[in-house]
Amino acid sequence: MTDDGTVTRVAAGPGTYWTPGTHILWRYRENGGEHFHIARPVTVVRDDAELLAVWLAPGTECVKPVLADGTPVHLEPLESRYTKPRTVQRDRWFGTGVLKVAQPGRPWSVWLFWEPGWRFKNWYVNLEQPLVRWAGGVDSEDHFLDISVHPDRSWHWRDEDEFAQAQRDGLMDPATAERVRAAGQEAVEVIRAWGEPFADGWPHWRPDPSWTVPSLPEDWDRTPAHVSS
């Protein structure tokens, strides 16, 4: 990473991995479009053939979608949430940080949340397209449906109403919705078996105190010159 904390321009193709401490972007494309509407600068914790783990630090400047009039998306009634015009705005990630863990090729990532004072809160399974790597980070598209997993290993579906609304609004065709449901069931089986990454001790992980908070580059929405899965 550079001294000013900007995203390091490094190659990360097949067989090439980011070293711990590198700053990259974790981005999501808008649903039903080609533009990026979520961009989060993160710090690489681990990156190899088995796993990518990154840290989203408190106070990180990010990009998020909002309605065209500036209204936060979650405040808009569900019936019109996905049909009203949108734009993006810069904001900061407040509260505690988030550890994001993803296994190559899997259609979900697992996020870990803590309460203040590092009391572990929960895992969050974010169903999404498998991450695609490029020189500056990883890209995906969110699939609305999620799973919350608690420290006692209990779990429940989240955002089923948004998942259904996205289908009604034409943001997800029936075949894609079926694949997402199947991915969710596969994730549930991993949870029930307490497989990776749930059994890997990540709730005890802590960020390196020497790490700086990554900055959001001006070209956060640039089109990758080369991508790989």
Side-chain angles (χ1 to χ4, degrees), residues 44-202:
V44 174
V45 174
R46 171 184 160 186
D47 185 32
D48 53 41
E50 303 299 324
L51 193 79
L52 170 64
V54 303
W55 171 241
L56 175 57
T60 301
E61 187 179 21
C62 303
V63 171
K64 69 176 185 180
V66 295
L67 298 187
D69 64 2
T71 301
V73 171
H74 72 277
L75 295 182
E76 178 66 21
L78 186 63
E79 292 74 16
S80 53
R81 187 173 301 172
Y82 302 124
T83 56
K84 280 196 172 180
R86 291 190 181 191
T87 186
V88 296
Q89 73 176 25
R90 291 174 177 244
D91 202 351
R92 293 198 178 270
W93 187 272
F94 291 107
T96 58
V98 181
L99 181 69
K100 298 186 177 188
V101 181
Q103 294 168 292
R106 269 193 164 168
W108 70 78
S109 57
V110 179
W111 305 1
L112 287 82
F113 291 87
W114 287 265
E115 301 282 7
W118 286 104
R119 184 171 68 85
F120 182 63
K121 182 180 179 182
N122 67 283
W123 290 271
Y124 185 91
V125 179
N126 196 72
L127 295 169
E128 59 193 33
Q129 288 185 352
L131 295 178
V132 173
R133 300 168 65 96
W134 56 287
V138 291
D139 295 342
S140 182
E141 182 176 313
D142 184 74
H143 282 158
F144 301 97
L145 190 62
D146 306 296
I147 306 169
S148 189
V149 185
H150 305 287
D152 65 359
R153 303 189 185 186
S154 64
W155 61 273
H156 65 270
W157 296 104
R158 293 187 56 151
D159 304 325
E160 289 184 285
D161 56 344
E162 295 188 357
F163 182 62
Q165 188 66 44
Q167 294 172 66
R168 287 193 291 270
D169 290 336
L171 295 179
M172 182 177 293
D173 60 43
T176 301
E178 185 175 343
R179 288 195 298 271
V180 173
R181 272 291 184 189
Q185 291 296 336
E186 182 181 346
V188 166
E189 292 306 312
V190 174
I191 295 165
R192 287 172 171 161
W194 212 242
E196 298 177 340
F198 303 101
D200 294 345
W202 286 110

Side-chain angles (χ1 to χ4, degrees), residues 30-34 141 171:
E30 60 187 354
N31 300 97
E34 292 300 321
E141 182 176 313
L171 295 179

Side-chain angles (χ1 to χ4, degrees), residues 25-47:
L25 285 173
W26 186 295
R27 308 190 299 183
Y28 289 97
R29 289 183 304 278
E30 60 187 354
N31 300 97
E34 292 300 321
H35 298 291
F36 294 99
H37 69 162
I38 294 175
R40 296 166 180 163
V42 294
T43 302
V44 174
V45 174
R46 171 184 160 186
D47 185 32

